[in-house]
């Protein structure tokens, strides 16, 4: 019952959108529910409010908190929707619906319900991209998102039914490792491929940069902040049952992720679109997460969870910064967005702080995650050191490229002389950066949950 009440609280916010000017009311109440959820607390090794429909362990708890946090910040970032009155009530409804779907995904204990909500989170995301996106190509981006994810998820559904056939139940705690020890390669690929596409793994990542570039700022924030984490969460849940098969086959995914991460980092270095650069950097970071997860050792699993939370905050913050610049300059091109240190001096600090967190500089949570993942991958095989070296070096390179190219250089002659940020924008960026660097003081919550 303890977890269900939070779900009911969020559902009960939906009627409030019919009140005129209810934007700030809903925004405040989302944060209020989030703080109540924090106070509920969880223990490692323990499910809180366990039931046949929902329960919450520390893995779910961290990701539900991230969902609440990012959804609250989405309202703050999307003030243009509110000010222009562009279907703002429908926008509120979409964000709340997405939050409900994410909560259900992270909290459900039944594999079929998990699949159902996992897929349902696509619908509001698609509406956000199609309804509030900026460019005419957003329809194509939406189709990419839909077909990549749906096509990869159909085998997952068949895999879940096959588990039901073998075990006789889809209740997660009932399914023991031995039950699926006899599975074959087809079942193994069917069960994890949907999550690899969602992460996204290199080779099936093309939907992500497209979706990001076409999405409004809120769509980019939720995509980078939470929806990519659905893949990691699914893998963490599935490997409880697939460990015997994982030991045989996981080396394939580790190889693809590390080589792919390095290649994507090189693609980052030749991006001229600010949003494209941040989107491709997400693929590189997630490559590292997949690599760590697939080693299936303690360091890897702990590090992947840590980096997922860290990346969710950092990447979302960078998308906010990109949007703030886009609203002033009317373009996201790096060729026009040069010399921003002259144009928006007050934002240069935030560009620096979030770019440095993106390259896993201390004291960000990304550092804790990357150290754990380096440990896990090098412990798994010494050969990974070559690609990990490339990945770490190139990660620092494109973060530095993003910062120095946008902040330094000769300012574009068509721009105004100077511009400043609103208090709302500074608060928005602070609320991304502060938890990202504060959580490292409480690292055991991220690391010792296993």
């Amino acid at each position: 019952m303890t977890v269900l009440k939070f779900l009911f609280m969020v559902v009960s916010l939906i009627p409030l959108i019919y009140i005129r000017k209810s934007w700030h009311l809903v925004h405040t109440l989302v944060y209020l529910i989030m703080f109540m959820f924090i106070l509920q607390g969880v223990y490692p090794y323990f499910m809180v409010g366990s039931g046949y429909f929902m329960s919450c362990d520390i893995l779910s708890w961290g990701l539900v908190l991230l969902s609440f946090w990012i959804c609250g910040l989405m309202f703050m970032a999307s003030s243009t929707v509110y000010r222009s009155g562009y279907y703002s009530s429908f926008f509120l409804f979409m964000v709340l619906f997405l939050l409900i779907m994410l909560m259900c995904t992270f909290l459900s204990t039944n594999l079929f319900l998990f699949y159902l909500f996992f897929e349902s989170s696509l619908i509001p995301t698609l509406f956000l991209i199609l309804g509030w996106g900026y460019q005419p190509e957003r329809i194509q981006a939406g189709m990419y998102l839909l077909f990549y994810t749906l096509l990869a998820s159909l085998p997952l559904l068949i895999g879940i039914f096959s588990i039901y056939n073998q075990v006789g139940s889809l209740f997660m705690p009932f399914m023991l490792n031995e039950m699926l020890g006899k599975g074959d390669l087809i079942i193994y690929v069917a069960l994890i491929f949907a999550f690899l596409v969602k992460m996204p793994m290199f080779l099936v990542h093309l939907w992500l940069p497209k979706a990001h570039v076409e999405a409004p700022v809120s769509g980019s924030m939720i995509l980078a902040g939470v929806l990519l984490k659905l893949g990691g969460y699914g893998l963490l849940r599935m490997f409880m049952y697939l460990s015997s098969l994982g030991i045989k086959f996981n080396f394939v995914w580790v190889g693809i992720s590390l080589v792919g991460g390095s290649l994507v980092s090189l693609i980052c270095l030749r991006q001229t679109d600010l949003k494209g650069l941040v989107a491709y950097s997400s693929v590189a970071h997630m490559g590292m997460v997949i690599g760590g997860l697939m080693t299936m050792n303690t360091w890897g699993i702990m590090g992947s969870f840590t980096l997922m939370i860290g990346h969710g905050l950092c990447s979302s913050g960078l998308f906010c910064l990109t949007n703030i610049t886009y609203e002033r300059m009317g373009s996201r091109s790096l060729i026009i967005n040069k010399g921003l240190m002259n144009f928006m001096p007050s934002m240069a600090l935030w560009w620096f702080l979030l770019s440095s967190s993106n390259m896993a500089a201390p004291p960000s949570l990304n550092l804790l995650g990357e150290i754990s993942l380096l440990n896990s991958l090098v412990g798994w095989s010494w050969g990974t050191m070559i690609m990990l070296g490339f990945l770490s070096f190139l990660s620092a390179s494109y973060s530095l490229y993003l910062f120095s190219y946008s902040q330094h250089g000769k300012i574009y002659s068509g721009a105004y002389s100077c511009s400043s940020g609103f208090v709302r924008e500074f608060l928005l960026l602070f609320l991304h950066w502060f938890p990202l660097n504060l959580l490292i003081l409480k690292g055991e919550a991220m690391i010792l949950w296993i």
Side-chain angles (χ1 to χ4, degrees), residues 416-430:
Y416 301 115
S417 58
C418 190
S419 172
S420 180
F422 299 117
V423 174
R424 169 185 63 82
E425 290 169 344
F426 291 128
L427 181 63
L428 172 67
L429 294 168
F430 177 76

Side-chain angles (χ1 to χ4, degrees), residues 5-20:
K5 66 188 173 201
F6 292 103
L7 188 64
F8 279 123
M9 280 184 209
V10 181
V11 172
S12 63
L13 292 182
I14 291 178
L16 295 180
I17 64 175
Y18 294 108
I19 303 171
R20 282 194 62 198

Side-chain angles (χ1 to χ4, degrees), residues 120-136:
S120 305
S121 62
L122 267 181
I123 300 162
T125 318
L126 187 70
F127 270 102
L128 281 174
I129 291 173
L130 294 184
W132 290 271
Y134 298 126
Q135 268 79 27

Side-chain angles (χ1 to χ4, degrees), residues 1-11 40 49 53-55 103 107:
M1 180 59 209
T2 38
V3 192
L4 258 177
K5 66 188 173 201
F6 292 103
L7 188 64
F8 279 123
M9 280 184 209
V10 181
V11 172
Q40 176 196 288
F53 172 43
M54 281 186 163
S55 74
M103 281 180 75
L107 296 171

Side-chain angles (χ1 to χ4, degrees), residues 16-300:
L16 295 180
I17 64 175
Y18 294 108
I19 303 171
R20 282 194 62 198
K21 303 204 171 174
S22 59
W23 184 278
H24 298 300
L25 175 68
V26 174
H27 184 188
T28 318
L29 287 173
V30 164
Y31 274 122
L32 187 68
I33 297 170
M34 186 197 73
F35 284 119
M36 289 162 77
F37 189 73
I38 290 176
L39 292 173
Q40 176 196 288
V42 283
Y43 304 99
Y45 313 107
F46 192 65
M47 286 262 192
V48 171
S50 192
Y52 284 112
F53 172 43
M54 281 186 163
S55 74
C56 179
D57 62 352
I58 201 156
L59 180 59
S60 316
W61 189 73
L63 288 163
V64 169
L65 266 185
L66 184 68
S67 309
F68 268 119
W69 192 253
I70 299 288
C71 283
L73 293 175
M74 279 163 73
F75 294 131
M76 205 184 284
S78 305
S79 71
T80 33
V81 175
Y82 171 62
R83 281 203 311 272
S84 62
Y86 189 69
Y87 299 101
S88 53
S89 301
F90 189 50
F91 180 83
L92 282 177
F93 172 72
M94 275 302 137
V95 176
L96 287 174
F97 181 54
L98 186 52
L99 180 58
I100 292 163
M101 287 302 123
L102 288 168
M103 281 180 75
C104 290
T105 311
F106 291 133
L107 296 171
S108 52
T109 47
N110 183 304
L111 260 184
F112 180 70
L113 286 176
F114 167 69
Y115 171 82
L116 194 72
F117 294 126
F118 173 77
E119 286 307 308
S120 305
S121 62
L122 267 181
I123 300 162
T125 318
L126 187 70
F127 270 102
L128 281 174
I129 291 173
L130 294 184
W132 290 271
Y134 298 126
Q135 268 79 27
E137 289 96 57
R138 60 180 186 267
I139 297 171
Q140 187 194 3
M143 289 301 112
Y144 260 61
L145 169 77
L146 206 62
F147 281 102
Y148 258 98
T149 321
L150 279 179
L151 202 68
S153 300
L154 284 173
L156 173 63
L157 185 62
I158 296 160
I160 287 173
F161 288 150
S162 139
I163 290 176
Y164 184 65
N165 208 19
Q166 283 183 41
V167 184
S169 165
L170 287 177
F171 185 52
M172 287 184 187
F174 282 177
M175 299 190 311
L176 300 170
N177 198 13
E178 294 77 29
M179 305 276 189
L180 290 174
K182 302 181 285 293
D184 55 354
L185 179 62
I186 297 171
I187 288 287
Y188 167 78
V189 173
L191 283 175
I192 67 167
F193 192 61
F195 303 125
L196 290 174
V197 170
K198 195 79 171 178
M199 282 292 278
M201 185 181 71
F202 183 68
L203 300 179
V204 283
H205 69 287
L206 284 175
W207 64 270
L208 183 80
K210 259 193 176 331
H212 270 310
V213 168
E214 304 305 326
V217 60
S218 52
S220 287
M221 284 167 70
I222 199 75
L223 255 178
V226 188
L227 291 175
L228 301 191
K229 314 303 172 273
L230 281 173
Y233 176 77
L235 288 174
L236 281 167
R237 285 280 183 240
M238 278 300 169
F239 276 127
M240 294 176 184
Y241 325 120
L242 291 176
S243 51
S244 52
L245 288 165
I247 291 164
K248 288 184 214 164
F249 304 122
N250 273 359
F251 68 94
V252 180
W253 313 118
V254 177
I256 292 175
S257 300
L258 291 182
V259 174
S262 306
L263 289 174
V264 166
S265 301
L266 288 169
I267 295 173
C268 278
L269 283 170
R270 55 181 302 276
Q271 286 295 313
T272 51
D273 186 330
L274 281 169
K275 246 189 179 180
L277 202 155
V278 182
Y280 273 109
S281 81
S282 292
V283 182
H285 284 303
M286 287 296 122
M288 207 158 177
V289 170
I290 294 173
L293 264 176
M294 294 297 178
T295 59
M296 291 203 310
N297 55 26
T298 316
W299 273 114

